[in-house]
Amino acid sequence: MNLTELARQSELSKSYLSAIEAGEVPRPSGESLYALARPLGVTMSDLLGRKLLTAKQPKPSASLREFAAEHGLLTADIRMLAAIQFRGDPPKTKERWAMIYSAIRQSEWMDQDRP
């Protein structure tokens, strides 16, 4: 991608991008880094040469593991459910997990494109 195209896609000026590239902008703003990362297909951490910090994934509770095993849930679904809290805590029973998972599955049609 050339500088003109990057400027167009990032909505940053070519002169500003040239200054960043030449090291004349010691600390580009977070907004500028985000604007650059998107068209380049990288993360802001990649642009900074740093490790991406991510939130720790919660471990599935015993009741969620039991529910997941009984229903053959995919790993991605288990991770998604493990992050759910109900009144400040994860659901306690596999029946509660079943209700939550069912509600999520029944609402999938809302995410699909409509004609």
Side-chain angles (χ1 to χ4, degrees):
M1 174 181 311
N2 64 33
L3 196 59
T4 302
E5 184 60 20
L6 182 57
R8 185 185 72 72
Q9 287 188 31
S10 66
E11 298 179 353
L12 298 171
S13 72
K14 280 177 59 174
S15 61
Y16 182 65
L17 294 177
S18 291
I20 291 172
E21 188 175 37
E24 297 167 5
V25 180
R27 291 188 175 166
S29 71
E31 285 184 21
S32 295
L33 291 174
Y34 185 77
L36 285 170
R38 189 174 30 86
L40 292 173
V42 299
T43 66
M44 291 172 58
S45 293
D46 292 331
L47 292 175
L48 295 169
R50 310 268 188 202
K51 182 179 176 187
L52 180 63
L53 301 177
T54 58
K56 251 186 156 176
Q57 291 289 328
K59 294 193 179 211
S61 65
S63 61
L64 174 54
R65 287 193 307 272
E66 188 178 344
F67 169 73
E70 286 179 11
H71 296 277
L73 268 58
L74 299 172
T75 302
D77 286 347
I78 297 168
R79 284 188 190 132
M80 177 266 306
L81 288 171
I84 291 177
Q85 298 234 334
F86 181 72
R87 296 185 179 146
D89 292 310
K92 306 249 187 270
T93 65
K94 59 183 184 172
E95 292 78 19
R96 178 70 74 182
W97 286 116
M99 188 275 309
I100 291 170
Y101 188 67
S102 175
I104 292 168
R105 294 297 308 255
Q106 288 177 14
S107 67
E108 284 178 339
W109 64 270
M110 293 179 185
D111 297 328
Q112 297 174 2
D113 293 334
R114 296 185 207 169

